[in-house]
């Protein structure tokens, strides 16, 4: 007989719910720390449930842009950087995205 094994994202969600529940009963600095931890856990959960960001050497891209190596394909570079930025914000703070960029 197989037993249900929660995913890592499910476990993170349970801990976040616990912190949300006790947060209002905490005072001052402890309440703030619980809010920060809840926010961090929400980011971790979104990252676990979503598509991973491709590994990329962003410093190399920035250096190539500064040298002018990518001037010929500026539209493609801009679209790539915009897509990557949207993907990062979708993990960190999705409610800060414009409606057309929010995950569904």
């Amino acid at each position: 007989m197989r037993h249900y094994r929660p995913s890592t994202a499910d476990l993170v969600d349970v801990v976040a719910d616990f912190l949300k529940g006790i947060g209002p009963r905490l005072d001052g600095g402890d309440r703030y720390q619980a809010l920060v931890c809840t926010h961090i856990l929400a980011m971790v959960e979104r990252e676990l449930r979503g598509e991973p960001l491709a590994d990329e050497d962003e410093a190399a891209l920035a250096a190539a842009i500064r040298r002018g190596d990518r001037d010929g394909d500026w539209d493609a570079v801009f679209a790539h950087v915009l897509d990557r930025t949207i993907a990062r914000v979708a993990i960190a703070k999705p409610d800060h995205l414009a409606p057309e960029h929010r995950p569904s």
Side-chain angles (χ1 to χ4, degrees):
M1 182 171 155
R2 288 192 82 162
H3 296 283
Y4 171 72
R5 183 167 185 234
S7 69
T8 304
D10 292 336
L11 295 172
V12 167
D13 186 47
V14 168
V15 174
D17 285 346
F18 171 76
L19 287 172
K20 286 178 196 171
I22 66 166
R25 297 188 303 240
L26 299 174
D27 293 322
D30 290 337
R31 178 180 293 175
Y32 175 76
Q33 290 298 323
L35 286 171
V36 169
C37 289
T38 301
H39 176 71
I40 290 169
L41 289 170
M43 288 189 327
V44 170
E45 183 181 3
R46 286 188 294 270
E47 192 165 355
L48 288 170
R49 292 191 190 279
E51 293 293 320
L53 286 176
D55 288 334
E56 181 178 305
D57 187 353
E58 293 175 355
L61 176 60
I65 291 169
R66 281 193 299 273
R67 286 191 308 270
D69 296 348
R70 303 298 299 266
D71 287 352
D73 59 347
W74 186 243
D75 289 339
V77 171
F78 180 80
H80 173 75
V81 171
L82 178 62
D83 289 345
R84 185 140 178 111
T85 302
I86 290 168
R88 284 184 164 191
V89 176
I91 292 168
K93 199 75 170 163
D95 53 327
H96 283 209
L97 289 172
E100 64 269 19
H101 298 298
R102 290 185 184 152
S104 42

